[in-house]
Amino acid sequence: PDNDGDGFGATVTPILQSTPVAGYIKSDNSDCNDADAAINPSATEITGDGIDQNCDGRDKRVWYIDADGDGFGSDSVTVEAEIQPDGFVESNTDCDDTNANINPDAVEDINDDIDQNCDGKLSVAWYKDSDGDGFGDNDTEVEDTAAPGANYVRTGDDCNDNDGSIYPGAPEIVGDGIDQNCNGIDQTHWYADADGDGFGDADNAVESETQPAGFVSDNTDCDDSQRDINPNMQEITADGIDQDCDGSDSWIWYIDQDGDGFGDTRETIDSPSQPIGYVANALDCDDFAAGVNPAAIEETGDGIDQNCNGSDQINWYRDVDGDSYGDPSESIVFDAKSFGNFTPNAQDCNDYDASVNPGVAEVPNNQIDDNCNGEIDE
């Protein structure tokens, strides 16, 4: 049968007879679509319409060059053929036929500004920027072609997204214990340790995030040229040097039991400052009597050394004749110790005659009171 009248019969069971039959043709059954007169072995093939017009079993197609061999072609070079030529493919969806890593099946790499999967859009990472400093929190990363919200940015690495003064590249505040620039280290003051004792000089400092050679974090050395002077040293008392850098030399303080301002060596304290009840001197000869000290006024002849000079003060009488008995009319007050031609005895009744004094025997009938007892020739 030739139902479409194109002169080619259908591929069905023929009728066998000796005379022609209307609607049938003789000896041809090559029409692959007897319902369409435009489809028969003599028809011209229409490229890429998915129809086999010439009934050769194939549709003629457009093939696209696949220069990078990734299975996806570009329309920069095309070939029309019923059989696939070498180096050509059916797809023309490759957006970069020079790079096999770029095609519709490729995995998109975010933030590289390259459209790997040829969808016409660039996929990027977005980070939530809660503090508005332009840097987002890495833990909030979202991959998308557009920002998922108003407070999202393309730059992450914010180490504190709740503080707008903390972000990569922020000015570092030295020594505050906060990493403002998000590099993992706080910038610190370092102090020169010239004497190598582990304690630095507060007047010689540098700012750095890492410790420079010859510098330490401590700044309490009061003499960085002397290794034996630093806060760990034992103070040497009363040498005029502040070994332990506490701001003063340590002194020996003596107990002042009687509160007269003069101390006693029986109890001492080493201290840079004066303890209550202690003084800096040890000059008191009796720390239980406030009236006895180097500043006290000596009371003559009472047997007490009020002024702590080592002796009591007494009256001394001139002994002109050297008989150890003095003239009561000529006296001075002085300490109780030997004092030239003076004596503490005032019983001489004639200081110009050594044979006249209380220690001699009375000579009878000489009209002299030899023993100074007030009687003559008794």
Side-chain angles (χ1 to χ4, degrees):
D2 180 16
N3 294 313
D4 54 13
D6 58 6
F8 295 90
T11 56
V12 296
T13 302
I15 296 174
L16 300 176
Q17 61 182 48
S18 58
T19 58
V21 178
Y24 283 72
I25 61 171
K26 181 183 177 180
S27 301
D28 187 289
N29 66 343
S30 60
D31 199 339
C32 56
N33 188 345
D34 198 38
D36 189 337
I39 298 176
N40 58 70
S42 294
T44 300
E45 189 70 23
I46 299 173
T47 302
D49 65 349
I51 301 172
D52 178 19
Q53 276 89 0
N54 63 4
C55 293
D56 62 358
R58 298 181 295 268
D59 180 33
K60 182 184 282 189
R61 303 178 185 178
V62 177
W63 302 91
Y64 302 92
I65 191 168
D66 180 17
D68 56 14
D70 60 3
F72 296 87
S74 73
D75 54 10
S76 61
V77 178
T78 61
V79 173
E80 294 182 5
E82 293 180 345
I83 300 174
Q84 181 176 1
D86 289 341
F88 287 78
V89 294
E90 292 183 77
S91 168
N92 68 342
T93 56
D94 201 338
C95 54
D96 185 347
D97 201 34
T98 64
N99 188 337
N101 294 318
I102 298 177
N103 59 67
D105 280 349
V107 176
E108 188 72 13
D109 189 2
I110 63 172
N111 289 341
D112 64 353
D113 292 329
I114 298 174
D115 181 17
Q116 277 91 356
N117 63 5
C118 296
D119 64 354
K121 298 178 289 185
L122 297 177
S123 183
V124 296
W126 299 91
Y127 305 92
K128 190 173 183 179
D129 179 19
S130 299
D131 56 15
D133 57 11
F135 294 85
D137 181 357
N138 286 351
D139 293 337
T140 64
E141 180 182 299
V142 175
E143 296 180 15
D144 205 339
T145 57
N151 58 341
Y152 279 79
V153 294
R154 289 189 57 179
T155 305
D157 297 329
D158 198 339
C159 54
N160 186 345
D161 200 39
N162 296 313
D163 190 330
S165 66
I166 299 177
Y167 55 86
E172 189 71 19
I173 298 175
V174 179
D176 65 347
I178 300 173
D179 177 22
Q180 278 88 3
N181 62 7
C182 294
N183 68 346
I185 308 170
D186 179 34
Q187 195 170 50
T188 305
H189 286 297
W190 301 95
Y191 304 92
D193 181 18
D195 55 15
D197 60 4
F199 296 86
D201 180 2
D203 294 329
N204 189 355
V206 297
E207 297 176 5
S208 176
E209 293 178 344
T210 56
Q211 182 174 4
F215 285 75
V216 294
S217 59
D218 178 272
N219 67 347
T220 58
D221 203 337
C222 54
D223 187 344
D224 201 37
S225 65
Q226 299 292 328
R227 188 178 180 85
D228 57 356
I229 296 178
N230 62 65
N232 275 352
M233 295 303 296
Q234 181 69 37
E235 188 70 21
I236 298 174
T237 304
D239 65 348
I241 301 173
D242 179 17
Q243 278 89 0
D244 62 3
C245 294
D246 66 352
S248 62
D249 184 26
S250 184
W251 299 92
I252 299 176
W253 302 92
Y254 302 90
I255 191 168
D256 180 16
Q257 185 81 21
D258 54 16
D260 59 5
F262 295 88
D264 185 352
T265 57
R266 63 190 170 80
E267 186 176 325
T268 63
I269 293 178
D270 290 352
S271 173
S273 58
Q274 183 175 5
I276 296 174
Y278 289 77
V279 293
N281 69 80
L283 302 176
D284 206 336
C285 55
D286 184 352
D287 200 37
F288 297 95
V292 177
N293 59 66
I297 298 174
E298 188 71 18
E299 295 183 15
T300 304
D302 64 352
I304 300 174
D305 179 17
Q306 277 90 357
N307 63 5
C308 294
N309 69 347
S311 62
D312 181 31
Q313 195 173 61
I314 61 175
N315 287 314
W316 293 88
Y317 302 91
R318 186 177 296 279
D319 180 18
V320 175
D321 55 15
D323 60 3
S324 299
Y325 293 90
D327 183 353
S329 65
E330 292 190 49
S331 66
I332 61 172
V333 177
F334 202 73
D335 293 333
K337 55 187 177 180
S338 178
F339 188 70
N341 58 342
F342 283 77
T343 177
N345 188 307
Q347 295 175 340
D348 204 339
C349 55
N350 185 349
D351 198 37
Y352 295 94
D353 186 343
S355 63
V356 178
N357 60 67
V360 302
E362 185 70 21
V363 178
N365 302 314
N366 65 355
Q367 300 300 307
I368 297 173
D369 181 9
D370 301 278
N371 63 4
C372 294
N373 66 353
E375 296 182 8
I376 298 173
D377 296 334
E378 65 273 17

